[in-house]
Each structure stands twice: as C-alpha cells, then as structure tokens.
Amino acid sequence: MQKLSVALVGGGLAGCECALRLARSGHEVVLFEQKPLHRSPAHVNDNLAELVCSNSLRSDELTSGVGLLKAEMRALGSRFMEAADACRVPAGKALAVDREAFARQMSQLVESEGNIRLVRHQVRSLDDAVLDPFKGEARAIVVAAGPMASDGLSASLAGVLGEKHCYFYDAIAPIVWTHSLNMDVVFRASRYGQENGEGEGEGDYLNCPMSREEYEVFYQALLEAQKVAAHEFEQEKHFEGCMPVEALAERGPRTLTFGPLKPVGFVDPRTGRRPWAIMQLRAENANSDTCNLVGCQTKLTQGEQARVFRLVPGLEKVEFARFGSMHRNTYVNAPQVLAGDLSLNVLPGVFLAGQITGVEGYVESAASGLWLAMLLDARARGIRLSTPPAESALGALINHLRTPAKRFQPSNAHFGLMPELGEKARKKDRKALYSARAQQTFGSWLQEARTAGLA
C-alpha cells in the first residue's frame, strides 16, 4: 500500500468521518479546523463535529432512505454512527443525540488518533501555503469546510470553478429550557402513542396543544413578525426540507397544521379531544434540560421569536437557551464541477466532501466523507472500488452528485433517488420493497468490498 498524506480542511461531520477512516486505514492526515480562532455565525462551541441545526439524525427505520443510509454506514464501520449511537437520546423512531456529548466524543476520537494531526488554522483559500505540502504524488487535499465555508475559501473555490457557486438558506430552530415550560398545559406523548398502548405521561416528545383560536392568534403573529433581512446581494433560496416556519405559514393557514404542527395521533389530556394544532418539543441532551422546537426553524428576529413563540400554550413564560437563526449554505453544481471520485475537474488533486458537494443533512454529509475516504484508500492500494448499487441508499446519493440537472439542488437520502421498482406495488408496500431491494444489493456489494479489503 502507498501511504497517503492528506490535508483535510474542516472538522465537521464529513471532515471528521473522512479523517478517521483514512487514519484507520494507515494514512496520515492533517486536519485543519478554524475554531476557536474563527467561527461561522451558526457555530457556538469549540468542539469538532458540532451539530448546528438540530440534534436529530432523522428516522432510524429501514423503511426510510436515511434509515437505510445509517444502516449501510454502520455496516461500513462508520465512526460517526458509532458516536451517534452512543450519544442517543429518546426521539421515538428517530435517532437524536445529545449534541454536546456527541461533539465531545467525535473530538476525542480525532484527537486520540495517532495518524491525525489537528491544526487550528483557518484555510482562507486553495492557495493557502499550508496546503502546498499536500500537492503531488501520494498526496491529496480534501475540502470539507461545510455549507458555511468562510467567505475567503468560498470565493477561492468559485474562482477556481470559473462560475458562481450556488447557495441556499438554512434556518435553525430555537432551543428552550425545559424547566420554563408550563406543564399544566404541556404533556408528554408520542404520535399515536395512546393507540399503541403508551401510558399517560410516557413518550419521547413534549407537546403543546392549541385550540383553533389559539392557533389562529399564533399564526397571525407569525405572519406579521419582523424577520432578519438577507443582504442585498443575496437571493434567498430555501431548501424545501428546512423551510423557515414563517415561510411555510405564508403558503396558507392550514400549511402548518398539515406539516410541522399537525395534531393527528394526539389527544389533549385536558379535553379528551384532538387539538387543532400541536407544537412538539424534542429533548436536546441526555438530561432533557433543554428542548428543540421541532419544525420551527426560523429567520425571525430574536425579540420577535420570544414574543411569537410565547403565544403558544405552554410556552407563555418560556426561556430561550438559543434563539433560532439563519445562515447561507454553500454548495457546488456537483455534476458539472466534480469528477466521479469527488475531485474538482479543474484541480484533480483537490477533493470535496460533505454538504458542499450537494448532499443535504448530517448523515448524508458524513456518508460522503466516508465514501471519499474509501475511494482514496482504494486508490492508494491500487484497487478499483466500484460504486455501491444505485438501488442502495449510499449508491443513490452518490449517483445524485453525478446526474446533471437543469437546476441542481442538494438532496437528502430518499427512495426517489433510487431506480423505480420495476413492478406494480400498492403504495403502502412500496417503501418496504425499496428497502428490501436496497439491503439485498448493498449486501452483495459490501461482500465484494470486504473481499477486496476495503470494508
């Protein structure tokens, strides 16, 4: 095996996962992380692998695209998944983590790895002198700076690509202190929990029930509230899966009640009836002393967030541990600018990983870092690593980055990225069929990769 010397720019999810996999395979990695010297507007602590938007890694069920992706990553020995499973907090069928404990564990994994040298330095451009030793034979530069890459690095990347890079806006939900909730109103339950035999006071979520009148007051305030304006030179492009709650509200008065505030599967213990709307709160850490307002990512000003969310029953005197915010997410037009191995077409020795490639989500970001590490390791060993089948979650996600589109946009892992089933099936059976096919095809590919010593 030819030992690689790799510069990895960015200590987020993709960067850490890529670095740990390369190091475990015997390669030398220098991981450049700008914190604590510099932070993006969304980062708040000095740990690596900080989760800035939510503490949820979404569904853990194999009948979902992201659940399948997590299973495939576990099978590939993902350190990201290892840490996430160890830091799990209750979240029903989703995998949510204590975000501080998770970031600490990922930081410890990196700092204790002998083949990784962590350097606290902001790489301002692709021409930064610290990257010079990583150009040439048996060397590589991996940019995993995330969707909030610094202005300098983003501008450098855009200059190299010779075109304006795309961007969209991402909004973060507020976090509140659990002790400040009005528990005379708020109740604990999971959706459909009562129907599934869940006892009173059980369940993974806290819930704020709203009558029609209470919802209409909240809804109107949401529409009228002052928002943080974008810069004049920036055009807002929201990712559909992370729309600000007020942007969803603008689509109509029932959009929220059929979306993040849908009440189906719940009974308000005070009335014995289904409420008109429900705001759910999910534990942020193992102690459950803080909660995330589920689906309430927002670009309202901080003062307006306090005013509007306190109109929700149970949140009348809520105290905010962190207000929601909004930031620009940067990504490239992957099918146009990236080769099949995630290297830049114009700079073959420079690779991209993470959300900047055009994958969307924590799990997907880490998955792209894991995949790139496997590709680089295979190259160093002189072995060709085939792409996972398009029918699998990882293969479908990789294929998304290679498929030209008139307007390329970031994507989560989902069944829509996979080839059609090729058979008639009832709607309720389709997810199970996609899942079964994915597990079968990925299992065969995994066995081949293991035989080659790459998994």
Side-chain angles (χ1 to χ4, degrees):
M1 182 187 75
Q2 185 179 40
K3 182 180 289 188
L4 297 177
S5 180
V6 180
L8 226 158
V9 182
L13 303 179
C16 288
E17 179 80 331
C18 187
L20 287 165
R21 182 52 171 253
L22 286 169
R24 189 174 67 178
S25 300
H27 306 290
E28 295 180 349
V29 179
V30 177
L31 178 60
F32 294 99
E33 167 56 43
Q34 66 175 3
K35 295 191 300 182
L37 305 174
H38 304 275
R39 286 199 187 102
S40 79
H43 289 94
V44 297
N45 68 51
D46 296 339
N47 285 320
L48 304 174
E50 182 181 353
L51 305 180
V52 300
C53 183
S54 165
N55 70 325
S56 175
L57 306 186
R58 312 193 326 274
S59 175
D60 214 23
E61 293 192 298
L62 293 178
T63 50
S64 71
V66 73
L68 270 175
L69 183 59
K70 288 199 282 282
E72 292 171 6
M73 292 173 69
R74 290 185 181 105
L76 290 170
S78 165
R79 305 305 292 277
F80 164 84
M81 288 308 309
E82 178 185 312
D85 288 331
C87 298
R88 180 190 292 262
V89 297
K93 296 177 181 179
L95 171 58
V97 302
D98 181 325
R99 72 171 80 203
E100 293 185 6
F102 171 80
R104 284 196 303 270
Q105 180 154 333
M106 288 294 288
S107 298
Q108 290 167 2
L109 286 171
V110 169
E111 292 167 356
S112 63
E113 173 55 62
N115 283 333
I116 299 176
R117 181 163 65 93
L118 179 61
V119 177
R120 302 285 183 171
H121 170 77
Q122 184 183 47
V123 176
R124 299 179 183 274
S125 79
L126 295 176
D127 295 323
D128 194 310
V130 299
L131 300 180
D132 289 343
F134 301 93
K135 299 174 181 177
E137 184 68 21
R139 302 174 189 278
I141 297 169
V142 176
V143 178
M148 291 167 284
S150 68
D151 290 343
L153 188 56
S154 294
S156 174
L157 185 60
V160 166
L161 296 178
E163 61 179 330
K164 292 181 179 179
H165 52 294
C166 307
Y167 58 88
F168 64 93
Y169 278 80
D170 202 2
I172 296 173
I175 296 174
V176 300
W177 290 101
T178 309
H179 68 76
S180 66
L181 303 177
N182 179 2
M183 299 307 294
D184 290 334
V185 176
V186 179
F187 65 96
R188 180 175 293 279
S190 300
R191 196 177 302 276
Y192 301 111
Q194 190 176 64
E195 298 176 20
N196 294 326
E198 183 179 88
E200 185 175 345
E202 298 178 352
D204 293 336
Y205 290 84
L206 295 174
N207 304 279
C208 300
M210 287 182 260
S211 67
R212 180 170 185 172
E213 294 75 18
E214 290 166 335
Y215 170 77
E216 289 176 347
V217 169
F218 167 74
Y219 173 76
Q220 194 60 38
L222 197 59
L223 291 179
E224 297 171 355
Q226 182 180 1
K227 305 169 183 64
V228 176
H231 295 294
E232 291 182 1
F233 58 86
E234 295 175 327
Q235 178 186 359
E236 294 185 15
K237 299 179 183 178
H238 298 294
F239 173 57
E240 189 68 24
C242 203
M243 290 282 288
V245 65
E246 61 274 8
L248 286 174
E250 291 171 355
R251 296 179 174 180
R254 295 306 304 273
T255 303
L256 296 180
T257 60
F258 284 94
L261 304 187
K262 64 183 178 184
V264 295
F266 289 102
V267 174
D268 185 346
R270 299 174 302 167
T271 66
R273 299 190 301 272
R274 177 193 291 181
W276 185 259
I278 278 276
M279 181 175 290
Q280 291 194 282
L281 289 78
R282 180 181 58 237
E284 271 290 308
N285 51 35
N287 294 328
S288 299
D289 53 5
T290 56
C291 295
N292 184 294
L293 304 188
V294 177
C296 292
Q297 52 272 8
T298 181
K299 59 177 180 177
L300 299 184
T301 64
Q302 292 188 1
E304 291 288 74
Q305 288 181 51
R307 180 182 70 85
V308 173
F309 287 116
R310 285 174 181 154
L311 294 172
V312 176
L315 304 184
E316 301 89 349
K317 297 182 179 180
V318 73
E319 299 173 13
F320 290 81
R322 186 195 72 186
F323 285 101
S325 64
M326 190 169 178
H327 53 270
R328 190 183 74 183
N329 276 4
T330 302
Y331 65 97
V332 301
N333 187 342
Q336 296 295 323
V337 304
L338 296 183
D341 61 357
L342 298 182
S343 65
L344 296 178
N345 289 327
V346 295
L347 284 177
V350 177
F351 301 80
L352 299 189
Q355 291 193 62
I356 201 168
T357 65
V359 299
E360 170 59 29
Y362 292 150
V363 180
E364 291 85 345
S365 179
S368 79
L370 175 61
W371 171 244
L372 176 57
M374 293 178 66
L375 282 175
L376 292 173
D377 180 46
R379 177 180 297 181
R381 296 171 184 270
I383 302 173
R384 180 184 175 276
L385 176 62
S386 63
T387 304
E391 293 82 1
S392 69
L394 180 57
L397 196 64
I398 295 167
N399 193 50
H400 168 68
L401 301 182
R402 298 174 177 175
T403 304
K406 185 175 182 180
R407 185 165 177 255
F408 177 76
Q409 287 197 319
S411 179
N412 298 121
H414 59 86
F415 292 128
L417 296 180
M418 300 177 184
E420 285 289 336
L421 288 171
E423 61 179 284
K424 290 185 177 180
R426 293 180 299 178
K427 184 177 180 181
K428 68 176 184 177
D429 297 330
R430 290 179 66 82
K431 289 183 178 180
L433 291 171
Y434 272 112
S435 177
R437 184 183 68 174
Q439 292 177 71
Q440 190 274 322
T441 57
F442 183 81
S444 298
W445 174 86
L446 180 62
Q447 186 57 47
E448 293 176 7
R450 285 175 172 165
T451 301
L454 297 173

